[in-house]
Amino acid sequence: MNERQRDLFLWVWSRRRAPGPVQVAARGAVIGALGGLAFSIIMLSSMGAPAAAGYTGLSAIIPMLERGWLMLTLAVPAFAFLGFLGANRVYAANERMYQSMLQSGARVPEQKPIMQGADHWPAIMVGVAAAIIAGFILFLFWAASTGNL
């Protein structure tokens, strides 16, 4: 990490840490819960119709509601807990790095540092890797929906 990257981290983190660890963890839990909801919807949409043994008319949807309720009650809290833990871990790691930089004599800049082209390569490579992973996930969704998997 060069000086400009360090100063950018200090400037950005000095603003992002303002809500505090409790609110950041709560946000992580909410985002995780939304992920659990999305997971449940995706899983339920791909399960197909359940066996409706003994059910007639509109009551045939009862097995689907039972499955949906079970999926939601298991997935949403589990994903919320993962989001909570992830947010706590990232906040703590960034706070440790921030405090260690301050203790070593670095100062938070008054303005956002101006970055040069070479300073962006780590972020560009992370973005490319994330785009490739997202592309593979979208391909799997497409392949599964068309039956080509």
Side-chain angles (χ1 to χ4, degrees):
M1 178 182 295
N2 65 32
E3 255 184 57
R4 287 181 303 278
Q5 290 168 328
R6 181 202 66 202
D7 288 347
L8 180 64
F9 171 78
L10 289 170
W11 186 81
V12 168
W13 187 247
S14 70
R15 282 144 182 82
R16 286 188 182 167
R17 68 191 288 266
V22 173
Q23 189 170 3
V24 169
R27 287 178 190 169
V30 168
I31 291 169
L34 292 173
L37 181 64
F39 174 81
S40 297
I41 291 169
I42 291 169
M43 291 301 291
L44 288 171
S45 68
S46 67
M47 279 185 170
Y55 294 104
T56 59
L58 283 178
S59 65
I61 65 171
I62 290 174
M64 181 61 91
L65 293 175
E66 288 173 346
R67 277 186 178 175
W69 180 250
L70 179 63
M71 180 73 73
L72 285 172
T73 57
L74 293 175
V76 171
F79 277 71
F81 184 65
L82 288 173
F84 173 81
L85 289 178
N88 267 342
R89 184 177 179 136
V90 169
Y91 185 91
N94 283 341
E95 186 65 19
R96 272 193 307 273
M97 193 166 37
Y98 178 77
Q99 293 301 330
S100 104
M101 286 179 187
L102 291 179
Q103 289 173 359
S104 69
R107 298 281 173 241
V108 177
E110 296 294 322
Q111 297 177 11
K112 184 176 180 180
I114 298 172
M115 305 300 281
Q116 296 178 355
D119 298 330
H120 294 291
W121 279 108
I124 291 170
M125 295 313 295
V126 168
V128 167
I132 290 170
I133 292 169
F136 281 127
I137 291 170
L138 290 173
F139 171 75
L140 288 174
F141 274 118
W142 171 80
S145 68
T146 60
N148 293 332
L149 192 60

